[in-house]
């Protein structure tokens, strides 16, 4: 069994909440470049930026980063990955980690762990990760995606609703979590087998995917298995808003100021599969 994998960073130009964020200056480097340099610290054999924008491509290539121009019509980052793996003619068993372009503080070791989790679970087509929810208000927050798993660590369902529902405990008090609660906060980092990515664009949109607005449910509805790696702490947040960008700049300007981006701060941004 090989531990080899590659990382692909989708970087689309359009961003409704923070226009132009992929090239936003962060400590003298464009945001997507910082993300790629962070991903380079993982054990990925290759780092590829997949973008629909020629200007983004010019900038990333000027930083000596492998870059591929993709179609502008992809509805999701996963569709963009599908185009890349088919263009590169990768074998179906190749492992690809999808690193979001707005995650410049992503832990390189988490990238490794998610990739290795998929390698070690041949029954799964996808691997992702989650960490324990310890506060009731986060369980009830619809912007935080929850996941429940079977005894093998395979995802049973993802939801914006509070799952699992501790009926007896919540009938008495919804302000406190039962112990143990088994509630998990999903982290939007994914590893895929190329065989799945090649087939993905042909999968019809799922019923529960539409209800929850969670694209990963499409894979479950079509019978694909997702392994969930359980970590113990939240990842550092990505950049979704102007406020996030300003906080990131402040963090990089003074990394000793640990209260700016504490590890306990959950990443609530909605990330596509």
């Amino acid at each position: 069994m090989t531990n080899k994998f590659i990382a692909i960073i989708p970087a689309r130009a359009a961003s409704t909440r923070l226009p132009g964020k992929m090239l936003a200056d962060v400590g003298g480097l464009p945001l997507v470049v910082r993300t790629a340099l962070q991903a380079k610290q993982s054990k990925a054999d290759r780092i590829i930026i997949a973008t629909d924008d020629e200007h983004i491509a010019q900038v990333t290539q000027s930083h000596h980063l492998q870059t591929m121009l993709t179609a502008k019509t992809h509805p999701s980052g996963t569709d963009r990955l599908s185009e890349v793996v088919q263009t590169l003619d990768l074998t179906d068993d190749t492992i690809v980690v999808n690193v979001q372009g707005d995650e410049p503080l992503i832990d390189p070791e988490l990238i490794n762990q998610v990739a290795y989790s998929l390698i070690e679970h041949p029954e799964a087509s996808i691997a992702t990760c989650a960490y324990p929810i310890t506060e009731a208000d986060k369980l009830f927050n619809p912007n935080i995606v929850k996941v429940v798993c079977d005894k093998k660590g395979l995802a049973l369902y993802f939801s914006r609703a509070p799952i699992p529902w501790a009926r007896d405990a919540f009938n008495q008090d919804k302000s406190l979590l039962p112990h143990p609660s088994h509630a998990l906060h999903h982290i939007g980092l994914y590893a895929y087998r190329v065989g799945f990515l090649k087939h993905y664009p042909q999968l019809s949109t799922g019923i529960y995917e539409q209800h929850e607005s969670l694209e990963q449910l499409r894979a479950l509805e079509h019978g694909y298995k997702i392994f969930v790696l359980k970590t113990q702490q939240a990842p550092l947040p990505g950049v979704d808003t102007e406020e996030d960008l300003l906080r990131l700049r402040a963090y990089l300007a003074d990394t000793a100021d640990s209260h700016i981006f504490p590890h306990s701060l959950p990443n609530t941004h909605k990330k596509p599969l």
Side-chain angles (χ1 to χ4, degrees), residues 245-258:
L245 182 61
L246 294 175
R247 294 171 69 199
L248 173 63
R249 286 170 175 164
Y251 172 81
L252 293 174
D254 186 3
T255 54
D257 225 353
S258 60

Side-chain angles (χ1 to χ4, degrees), residues 114-181:
V114 170
Y116 296 159
S117 293
L118 187 54
I119 292 168
E120 293 165 1
H121 291 84
E123 73 278 22
S125 298
I126 305 168
T128 188
C129 44
Y131 64 92
I133 293 175
T134 58
E135 300 171 37
D137 63 332
K138 291 181 172 58
L139 182 66
F140 287 91
N141 185 343
N143 294 317
I144 291 176
V145 178
K146 280 71 69 174
V147 57
V148 290
C149 307
D150 67 15
K151 291 184 179 298
K152 295 180 179 179
L154 298 171
L156 292 169
Y157 194 68
F158 295 84
S159 182
R160 299 182 182 280
I163 57 172
W165 180 261
R167 185 193 65 175
D168 294 342
F170 287 146
N171 279 344
Q172 298 180 34
D173 187 355
K174 291 186 176 68
S175 66
L176 295 173
L177 291 177
H179 296 286
S181 75

Side-chain angles (χ1 to χ4, degrees), residues 66 108 181 222 232 246:
Q66 183 177 358
S181 75
H222 282 275
Q232 290 307 308
L246 294 175

